[in-house]
Amino acid sequence: MRFALGLFCLLLTAGAAPSGAGAAELAAPGTLPRPLVIAHRGASGYVPEHTLAAYTRAIEQGADYIEVDLVSTKEGYLIARHENELSTTTDVAQRFPSRRTSKVIDGETVTGWFSEDLTLDEIGELRARERVPFRDQNQNGRYAIPTIAEILSLRASKSRELGRQIGVYIEVKHPRYFRGIGRPIEEPLISILAAWAMDRAGSPIFLQAFDAGSVMMMAQRTQVPAIYLMDKLGPETSDESLKTIATYAKGIGPAKTMIIPVDENGRALPPTDLVKRAHAAGLLVHPYTFRPEGAFLPVNYNGDALREYCDFRRLGVDGVFTDTPDLALKAFAESCPMTK
Ligand code: G3P
Ligand code: CA
């Protein structure tokens, strides 16, 4: 059934695709009434990440976008996982013990069980596990690993049910590695978006990658905005580089420490000027990843995650990737309900 749904969606023509993809035009940087709330891997602070249950929880909490990371199966189907090594977030080790192997992925040797070694039917046997040890482990074993087709289908049905356009913010994982083994992510992703008429200007989709070539290609072949992800300040964040990025990307997705750095004791430091300079280059700024637990939150917030959202809001970010969309929405509605 899963195989059939994936195939069906891959074969759909644009004209025959499910409808309801329209959405408001993106606002210019700095003019949104509040930052977009992007549910990072779904409501992954509450439900095992990248499951339909995690995306559903995020949508029901009011997230504007659900964030999806994609890797490939053996046949080239696209499934939602943060890594192609599956043992950190699934029961693959128990179900397929003999498939353990070692590979070099993006320059690092990784040992485990890999999405590209399993068929979609085999992936269908897996059940998700909570990655973070201090989060709820009681849902382990309940939820399947979704395909991009199943996620777009969920998006369409929840959008109809709730009467609002829910967005999907899709990241291509390990793009060079997957292209190198003959299982590129971008082409099947673009095909399925086209089949759902979701590759058009105004579609509630963002595409994202840490790889500039992948971002450029997706920007060229679709009409939806592409976001270039970054993990540190440096030559890539010079004014000149930001202007270059703006020639192909709609925005940047920086680690949030590139905007409010944190010292070795976990204390937040004075902000950088990255948001201001990115806006000057015409780029949206969507930092990642907001998480409320003490292991992630800078110590000077004293456990008050809402204050962190407000600090970023005051700096003018256009969106936030968060594991807890409810807290982001609460902060923007109650703690710092500013209008720009
Ligand atoms: O895509 C934004 C953010 O999710 C990037 O970090 O590692 O969680 O995919 P990661
Ligand atoms: Ca991601």
Side-chain angles (χ1 to χ4, degrees):
M1 177 58 194
R2 291 161 53 81
F3 185 88
L5 181 58
L7 191 60
F8 168 72
C9 291
L10 277 171
L11 292 175
L12 276 173
T13 65
S19 60
E25 285 292 315
L26 286 170
T31 63
L32 286 169
R34 67 158 167 76
L36 287 178
V37 173
I38 306 152
H40 183 248
R41 313 180 195 173
S44 58
Y46 305 107
V47 181
E49 67 187 46
H50 288 321
T51 59
L52 293 183
Y55 302 134
T56 300
R57 180 76 65 90
I59 291 166
E60 290 177 351
Q61 287 184 348
D64 300 301
Y65 282 74
I66 52 172
E67 197 244 356
V68 176
D69 296 318
L70 290 179
V71 298
S72 179
T73 69
K74 190 170 189 172
E75 313 95 321
Y77 286 98
L78 304 182
I79 60 166
R81 285 294 94 189
H82 182 262
E83 307 91 2
N84 55 331
E85 199 290 301
L86 301 172
S87 66
T88 311
T89 61
T90 76
D91 56 3
V92 67
Q94 289 73 46
R95 292 194 188 257
F96 297 100
S98 67
R99 304 292 184 87
R100 188 169 185 267
T101 188
S102 294
K103 305 188 181 204
V104 178
I105 315 284
D106 297 339
E108 274 183 38
T109 301
V110 182
T111 298
W113 290 258
F114 295 88
S115 63
E116 66 271 23
D117 294 340
L118 274 67
T119 65
L120 187 62
D121 281 348
E122 289 170 336
I123 295 284
E125 293 180 38
L126 304 183
R127 291 295 175 268
R129 300 177 63 83
E130 172 56 52
R131 173 195 297 274
V132 180
F134 49 80
R135 287 182 175 166
D136 179 14
Q137 302 293 318
N138 292 317
Q139 300 170 80
N140 292 349
R142 274 193 211 166
Y143 307 120
I145 312 308
T147 63
I148 185 63
E150 290 168 328
I151 296 164
L152 292 175
S153 182
L154 173 75
R155 185 216 81 85
S157 65
K158 293 302 283 184
S159 295
R160 279 195 299 273
E161 176 193 328
L162 298 175
R164 69 182 176 94
Q165 288 295 334
I166 295 146
V168 188
Y169 203 125
I170 304 169
E171 181 179 353
V172 174
K173 284 295 186 190
H174 308 298
R176 285 169 195 256
Y177 170 77
F178 277 112
R179 187 165 297 281
I181 63 167
R183 293 286 177 272
I185 308 280
E186 292 90 342
E187 287 86 346
L189 171 58
I190 291 166
S191 294
I192 200 164
L193 289 175
W196 283 77
M198 298 281 280
D199 62 339
R200 302 172 181 179
S203 297
I205 296 284
F206 280 100
L207 300 174
Q208 47 162 342
F210 282 98
D211 183 294
S214 181
V215 175
M216 273 182 228
M217 177 198 201
M218 295 190 288
Q220 279 165 3
R221 297 195 189 180
T222 71
Q223 296 177 308
V224 295
I227 300 292
Y228 183 41
L229 301 173
M230 307 173 143
D231 60 7
K232 58 180 176 303
L233 294 170
E236 277 201 324
T237 53
S238 69
D239 288 345
E240 195 180 355
S241 176
L242 292 171
K243 275 187 208 145
T244 302
I245 292 167
T247 62
Y248 59 89
K250 188 77 181 177
I252 55 170
K256 64 188 170 71
T257 52
M258 295 167 63
I259 296 173
I260 299 183
V262 175
D263 71 14
E264 64 277 11
N265 299 313
R267 289 191 71 78
L269 298 170
T272 70
D273 59 0
L274 180 62
V275 176
K276 197 170 156 197
R277 292 190 302 103
H279 282 170
L283 292 161
L284 296 169
V285 182
H286 296 165
Y288 65 90
T289 303
F290 289 76
R291 296 171 164 135
E293 296 98 338
F296 302 119
L297 191 66
V299 293
N300 35 339
Y301 290 114
N302 293 317
D304 184 354
L306 304 193
R307 281 180 51 212
E308 186 187 37
Y309 289 109
C310 289
D311 280 353
F312 278 81
R313 179 169 205 184
R314 289 186 194 101
L315 291 170
V317 300
D318 305 286
V320 292
F321 287 91
T322 173
D323 287 2
T324 54
D326 57 337
L327 296 185
L329 288 160
K330 185 174 168 64
F332 298 145
E334 297 174 16
S335 301
C336 44
M338 41 198 274
T339 49
K340 292 179 188 172

